[in-house]
Amino acid sequence: MSERRDVEFVSGDATCAAWLYRPDTPSERQPIVVLAHGLGGVREMRLDAYAERFTAAGYACLVFDYRHFGASGGEPRQLLDIGLQLEDWASAVAHARTIDGVDPTRVVLWGSSFGGGHVLEAAARDGRVAAVISQCPFTDGLASALATPLITTLRITPLAVRDIVGSLRGKPPVMVPLAAEHRGVALMASTDALDGYLGLQPPGSAFSNEVAARFALAITRYFPGRAAKRITAPVLFCVCDPDTVAPTKATLRHTAKAPRGQIEVYPYGHFEIYVGDPFEHVVADQIAFLERTVPLT
């Protein structure tokens, strides 16, 4: 059995909570995979499943929650800020490089959905990561916005404006759901969003299906896929087709520009990839990629 313990690291003005996984046969200078979730997601939403597989294959893992979410610090709660989350990635990587027994030259970034976009930008900025795994990645804010039902956009926009104005006056955030039924009021309102997203929560989870509405006006200006062409490390792109949240066509356009990219397209939906046979298929490919690009010895 691998070892998992609770750890934390400082990021900006708060502390990020994390799990540190160690393989049961650790090496002197082992590679480490740093993992974080997507839009509003927390560690308990299936990231432990990936970390357990990677650790069983011999890799240490650091799985963290962004500030303002999960067990991490930061006020107000459920505030999704792109700049702050990229700072959290930089802090997580810096912390991973200081962990006893870890080889600081063999740090791998793993992100899914919105986190799958973050790892592209984070890797490009860092310039020293050993490899990247980007699963069902959010790469193009405009494409994702255009995929959102028009009625959803029209209903969320006034809430986002009200949230921004309220924040300037020191008021609590105006919240919107992260996932809702098709054409509902939420950041994700596709046909598979509500059941798929909430289905990732373990029984008894205290997960909060909401986020500060102001984020809805920021998402269209974020294009992490553009960073792919600046990443010198090997990148595995696990792309869903069709993908109702991160449109496949836009994703493939960006991923094709990665100098050392490996693109795998799977016939699974955006939320299917985390569970059951799709999970088994994809995680096996990810382990094979790790063993090829960042071998244990």
Side-chain angles (χ1 to χ4, degrees):
M1 293 290 292
S2 62
E3 172 196 1
R4 186 183 94 178
R5 61 188 178 91
D6 294 326
V7 297
E8 59 183 28
F9 57 88
V10 174
S11 184
D13 58 357
T15 300
C16 287
W19 292 324
L20 176 62
Y21 288 78
R22 293 279 202 179
D24 54 7
T25 55
S27 59
E28 287 269 334
R29 290 168 62 79
Q30 60 195 206
I32 187 167
V33 184
V34 182
L35 303 90
H37 223 308
L39 201 68
V42 293
R43 294 172 292 168
E44 291 82 0
M45 295 169 69
R46 294 288 294 170
L47 294 197
D48 50 348
Y50 289 90
E52 287 166 4
R53 293 301 182 86
F54 298 152
T55 307
Y59 296 83
C61 291
L62 181 71
V63 190
F64 73 94
D65 283 336
Y66 299 110
R67 280 176 286 172
H68 305 276
F69 290 90
S72 292
E75 293 292 340
R77 304 306 295 168
Q78 303 301 114
L79 175 65
L80 206 166
D81 183 286
I82 294 168
L84 294 182
Q85 292 196 345
L86 289 172
E87 287 180 10
D88 293 345
W89 271 104
S91 298
V93 171
H95 176 72
R97 288 180 172 138
T98 68
I99 296 172
D100 288 344
V102 164
D103 185 345
T105 69
R106 293 196 291 165
V107 175
V108 179
L109 307 190
W110 184 102
S112 191
S113 191
F114 206 65
H118 282 336
V119 293
L120 303 179
E121 182 64 35
R125 292 185 182 187
D126 182 275
R128 295 187 294 133
V129 300
V132 180
I133 298 174
S134 180
Q135 176 176 282
C136 56
F138 170 96
T139 59
D140 192 299
L142 181 59
S144 289
L146 292 175
T148 302
L150 178 59
I151 186 63
T152 296
T153 301
L154 293 175
R155 295 167 72 183
I156 284 183
T157 299
L159 298 175
V161 172
R162 198 172 90 202
D163 185 35
I164 291 174
V165 172
S167 71
L168 297 175
R169 297 176 178 175
K171 294 184 177 181
V174 176
M175 295 292 182
V176 297
L178 283 157
E181 68 282 354
H182 186 217
R183 304 178 70 193
V185 180
L187 295 182
M188 295 180 286
S190 60
T191 54
D192 58 346
L194 184 61
D195 290 343
Y197 194 67
L198 299 186
L200 301 180
Q201 299 176 40
S205 170
F207 172 76
S208 181
N209 180 31
E210 62 180 8
V211 69
R214 70 195 72 171
F215 174 72
L217 298 183
I219 194 169
T220 58
R221 303 192 303 273
Y222 189 37
F223 294 84
R226 294 174 178 172
K229 61 180 178 290
R230 309 198 315 270
I231 302 173
T232 57
V235 184
L236 173 63
F237 297 98
C238 300
V239 181
C240 296
D241 186 16
D243 192 318
T244 60
V245 175
T248 306
K249 184 177 179 180
T251 295
L252 293 176
R253 185 175 68 248
H254 290 295
T255 58
K257 298 177 183 178
R260 301 175 66 187
Q262 175 185 336
I263 303 169
E264 299 293 340
V265 180
Y266 302 93
Y268 311 133
H270 190 85
F271 302 99
E272 291 180 296
I273 201 169
Y274 297 93
V275 295
D277 289 340
F279 164 77
E280 297 293 344
H281 183 181
V282 173
V283 78
D285 287 350
Q286 294 175 357
I287 291 171
F289 171 78
L290 288 174
E291 292 175 340
R292 185 175 68 257
T293 59
V294 192
L296 297 179
T297 57

